[in-house]
Amino acid sequence: MVVESCCPLDLSSSNPTYQCSGCELYVGGVCRRCLGGFTKMDSTCVMCSNVDTFLDRDGHSCATYASNGWCSEGKPTSGNEARVNYIYKHMSASGACCACGGGYQQATPF
């Protein structure tokens, strides 16, 4: 296994970016794990923090959505779409939780 310690620069687009910003483990051209404070969404790591006050109608927080596998990499997992998109007290997991594609997302500062 080869682990690269530097992020390769993507020069193929008109707006070059580092492919692994926020990545903790970059193997074979793919980020396998993000650093703390970053959430994997699609193939990149995004700075994100959950809405701390979010609880669904059953009292589950964003941490539960991630640990139970109801969401992964910014999307609901198969069969969990209704749970993730259910709005309770004006909020849903898809809007509040990083693992589900919500939360407070910020541009990577490097």
Side-chain angles (χ1 to χ4, degrees), residues 6-22 26 43-45 107-108 110:
C6 300
C7 297
L9 186 60
D10 177 10
L11 298 174
S12 62
S13 72
S14 61
N15 185 16
T17 59
Y18 284 98
Q19 296 173 351
C20 59
S21 298
Y26 189 79
S43 61
T44 61
C45 296
T108 305
F110 45 86

Side-chain angles (χ1 to χ4, degrees), residues 23-65:
C23 185
E24 179 178 27
L25 179 62
Y26 189 79
V27 179
V30 177
C31 181
R32 303 293 180 189
R33 183 176 55 238
C34 297
L35 292 166
F38 289 83
T39 299
K40 194 161 183 213
M41 293 189 184
D42 296 319
S43 61
T44 61
C45 296
V46 175
M47 286 182 68
C48 191
S49 57
N50 294 320
V51 175
D52 291 335
T53 57
F54 172 74
L55 292 174
D56 69 10
R57 64 182 173 184
D58 298 318
H60 300 299
S61 68
C62 290
T64 305
Y65 276 76

